[in-house]
Amino acid sequence: MERWKKMKSKRIFSVVFAFVLMFTLSQSAFAIRGENDTRETAMWADNGFAYSSYTDHPDDEDWFKIYNNESSSRFVFLTLENDRYINYDIMAYYTRSDGTPATIEAGDQGQGQTDFCGFWIQPGTTAYIKVKGHNGSFGWPGLETTYRLFINFQN
């Protein structure tokens, strides 16, 4: 019986130790200050990109950028899933076929709903995507206040 208790305590210690190491040494994917908070520090994304985060103060924004390396225009479809307690907004900044800059903002569906929009990205151009809290709202990790962004090229 004594031997069983020693083995059991070693297993518990091993699990707790591994858990502590995992969370101590790994970097959070959520709201890292200074990273992708501006257009200049936008995070590169590509077709099939999926990202989950939150804004942590009223002025916080998350920026992403995509590049069309194809020889023809590509349609980009953006989906932004909102958690039930926070409403996030999504906007895209891109260049039209005539070379003029353009902006599109997804129709606001509200808290807990999904916003979406799409646009054509021209060959050899970069488009920027911004996610921000609606009217300055912001969230906290673990409290169902995150957003999920999906970027998909349709052709």
Side-chain angles (χ1 to χ4, degrees):
M1 186 70 160
E2 189 65 32
R3 183 178 161 162
W4 171 252
K5 285 182 183 179
K6 278 185 178 181
M7 285 177 45
K8 188 174 180 182
S9 65
K10 282 183 180 181
R11 282 189 194 153
I12 291 172
F13 176 77
S14 296
V15 169
V16 169
F17 184 70
F19 185 76
V20 168
L21 273 179
M22 182 174 69
F23 284 103
T24 303
L25 299 177
S26 64
Q27 185 176 17
S28 173
F30 292 104
I32 301 168
R33 282 222 191 252
E35 295 202 15
N36 77 311
D37 285 342
T38 66
R39 186 174 176 143
E40 292 74 28
T41 61
M43 176 186 293
W44 279 105
D46 202 355
N47 188 28
F49 181 82
Y51 185 79
S52 180
S53 190
Y54 64 95
T55 57
D56 63 356
H57 58 85
D59 298 324
D60 191 10
E61 300 174 344
D62 289 342
W63 285 81
F64 306 88
K65 58 186 170 182
I66 55 174
Y67 180 77
N68 182 3
N69 60 359
E70 299 291 324
S71 60
S72 61
S73 300
R74 299 183 78 186
F75 187 76
V76 180
F77 189 72
L78 305 175
T79 305
L80 182 71
E81 294 178 353
N82 293 289
D83 269 330
R84 71 169 111 171
Y85 299 117
I86 299 291
N87 183 15
Y88 290 98
D89 295 329
I90 186 169
M91 298 178 76
Y93 303 84
Y94 61 100
T95 304
R96 293 188 176 153
S97 60
D98 64 2
T100 60
T103 303
I104 187 169
E105 184 170 4
D108 182 29
Q109 303 301 313
Q111 290 177 206
Q113 303 300 315
T114 301
D115 297 348
F116 52 89
C117 64
F119 61 95
W120 289 93
I121 185 171
Q122 301 305 311
T125 64
T126 301
Y128 293 87
I129 300 155
K130 177 175 72 173
V131 177
K132 65 183 183 73
H134 184 77
N135 291 332
S137 59
F138 61 96
W140 302 98
L143 297 177
E144 298 184 29
T145 59
T146 57
Y147 68 80
R148 285 161 306 285
L149 171 64
F150 302 95
I151 300 172
N152 291 291
F153 297 161
Q154 299 296 311
N155 57 336

